[in-house]
Amino acid sequence: MMSFGFSTPGKTLFGRGTADAIPEHVLGFGQRLLLVRGRSVARVDDIALDLQKKGAVLETVFAEGEPTVSQVIQVVKAGRDHRAQAVVAIGGGSAIDLGKAAAALIPSGSDLMDHLEVVGAGLPLTAQPLPLVAIPTTAGTGAEMTKNAVISVPDAALKVSLRDDRMYPTLAIVDPSLTDHAPREVTVSSGLDAVTQVIEPYLSSRANPLTDALCQPAIRMGLQAVATLIRHEDPDARDALAYVSMISGVALANAGLGAVHGLAGVIGGQTNLAHGLICANLLGPTLDMNFQRTATAGGNLERYSFLRQVISDVFDGWGDQSFLALSDVFELQGVPGLDDLLADNARVDGLIHDALNSSSMKANPVQLTEEDVRAILQMAVCPTA
Ligand SMILES: [Fe+2]
């Protein structure tokens, strides 16, 4: 059998009701806490109050969209001024990434740019991060299970990672009830991000037996859960999607991603489009392209056959259509604004170049050409063309 390594957060708690024990777990790290949170989930107000009642001294910062370099610098300063002993990040992927970056940088005397990939020096952290408790309120990014924080660099129109083996959360608490009644569009696009994040590691050139064992059942579970939640609210489907999202973080941290995320990272850096929406629309076209290129090269198609089987089990009437039909079954309308971006040839050339050189693209199961990537983008804009 192949050799491989495997890493996860220090401890993970999963299940409905696990959020009730947040104060008990968090206060074990100290009373002076930096709380990094999203705005939209009312239950986070209750959690913050409960923490204060039980003795926490909180400095609260709100994540405003995906974290930028300047936001990270501000939040790190707030955490240092507060003499925070630990960071609690509650929210979607943006809040968790902001909290992760803060926990990593508060104890160090160094600058964010010393450690950022691509646009910075990419150096390892100079000190052990603060304890970090990550609590997702959306089922999508799996950020609670990974060792990187995605940071927007507006000056370079790029999104890059702050990444270090010591950045895994100390504790991840995944309570699916925190995702109940999230709006349908958020649920579908973030859910399809999670599904993409179990499909790409499964097809990845870096897949290993342990990530395969996690991804195979999660692909079916995730597709089924999204299909249910498109139609109606369902606590069991919420549980399943929160589980898949958690697994997706483990899978991508250990087996890498692929072309969907290579492109999504670059497009996200140049637009304000939601990551989940971009991934959802790129998934079908990218799977189709990877399948075609693998078939042409005489490669092994077993994993694509598995995917086909799962998709046709979950969606009656899908039959044996091309992967492109995925956009139809999820009633996706394309990515708004992507057509404008594609009308600018020079910009598209740059985007394709950056995507082909991204870290996610390196794990794609086949080497794609510039023309392949151009075709994927075209399909994502206009699925029926
Ligand atoms: Fe993603």
Side-chain angles (χ1 to χ4, degrees):
M1 189 182 278
M2 68 186 287
S3 306
F4 63 91
F6 194 78
S7 312
T8 66
K11 181 174 181 178
T12 303
L13 299 172
F14 178 88
R16 265 174 201 265
T18 48
D20 297 345
I22 289 171
E24 171 196 324
H25 291 289
V26 165
L27 288 166
F29 296 114
Q31 287 187 304
R32 301 190 67 82
L33 303 173
L34 177 67
L35 175 65
V36 182
R37 56 164 294 188
R39 283 198 190 275
S40 57
V41 177
R43 273 210 37 211
V44 182
D45 297 335
D46 300 335
I47 292 167
L49 269 178
D50 197 25
L51 275 168
Q52 282 171 313
K53 267 192 221 155
K54 290 179 173 150
V57 183
L58 295 184
E59 170 69 19
T60 302
V61 293
F62 289 89
E64 309 281 356
E66 295 181 352
T68 60
V69 170
S70 60
Q71 272 166 4
V72 171
I73 291 169
Q74 272 173 25
V75 174
V76 168
K77 181 174 183 319
R80 285 179 183 161
D81 291 349
H82 185 59
R83 289 178 286 116
Q85 295 166 290
V87 177
V88 182
I90 311 183
S94 300
I96 291 178
D97 277 0
L98 185 57
K100 216 187 270 179
L105 294 170
I106 287 169
S108 84
S110 53
D111 187 76
L112 171 61
M113 294 310 279
D114 294 338
H115 307 292
L116 266 187
E117 292 179 351
V118 186
V119 296
L123 298 171
L125 297 174
T126 51
Q128 180 69 28
L130 285 186
L132 168 68
V133 181
I135 306 156
T137 59
T138 60
T141 66
E144 70 277 13
M145 308 302 281
T146 65
K147 61 177 177 182
N148 68 306
V150 179
I151 313 290
S152 286
V153 188
D155 293 346
L158 278 177
K159 275 189 197 177
V160 294
S161 273
L162 176 66
R163 190 188 313 263
D164 192 284
D165 283 342
R166 292 164 288 180
M167 282 175 62
Y168 281 104
T170 318
L171 171 64
I173 299 178
V174 184
D175 184 335
S177 72
L178 295 175
T179 70
D180 285 347
H181 302 288
R184 182 177 180 273
E185 307 77 63
V186 174
T187 301
V188 172
S189 63
S190 59
L192 284 175
D193 180 28
V195 170
T196 305
Q197 291 176 179
V198 283
I199 291 177
E200 291 210 290
Y202 176 63
L203 295 176
S204 159
S205 57
R206 291 171 46 206
N208 68 55
L210 198 39
T211 55
D212 285 350
L214 291 170
C215 289
Q216 276 191 320
I219 292 168
R220 182 182 299 271
M221 201 187 280
L223 285 168
Q224 186 69 63
V226 175
T228 301
L229 290 166
I230 282 178
R231 296 194 303 273
H232 55 82
E233 186 64 30
D234 183 287
D236 290 338
R238 290 284 180 196
D239 286 6
L241 205 51
Y243 173 81
V244 171
S245 177
M246 176 181 78
I247 290 301
S248 81
V250 179
L252 76 89
N254 287 282
L257 288 161
V260 173
H261 277 81
L263 273 164
V266 179
I267 294 170
Q270 297 204 10
T271 64
N272 284 325
L273 294 166
H275 173 75
L277 183 69
I278 302 170
C279 289
N281 282 278
L282 288 173
L283 178 60
T286 306
L287 279 179
D288 185 61
M289 184 60 74
N290 281 341
F291 170 74
Q292 304 287 352
R293 289 293 165 263
T294 305
T296 309
N300 188 334
L301 296 173
E302 249 172 58
R303 287 176 185 243
Y304 296 94
S305 302
F306 169 80
L307 284 179
R308 279 186 188 290
Q309 186 60 51
V310 172
I311 295 166
S312 58
D313 289 349
V314 172
F315 300 104
D316 282 346
W318 191 77
D320 198 20
Q321 299 185 65
S322 101
F323 289 112
L324 290 172
L326 268 180
S327 296
D328 295 334
V329 294
F330 288 118
E331 299 166 30
L332 299 170
Q333 310 294 326
V335 187
L338 193 57
D339 44 354
D340 289 346
L341 196 152
L342 290 189
D344 182 339
N345 286 335
R347 226 172 138 198
V348 175
D349 289 347
L351 192 153
I352 291 171
H353 174 266
D354 291 348
L356 283 170
N357 286 296
S358 66
S359 56
S360 293
M361 193 65 87
K362 292 186 176 64
N364 199 57
V366 283
Q367 179 81 47
L368 298 178
T369 65
E370 282 184 28
E371 286 320 303
D372 294 339
V373 176
R374 204 180 297 275
I376 290 171
L377 285 170
Q378 215 64 55
M379 291 292 189
V381 174
C382 192
T384 52

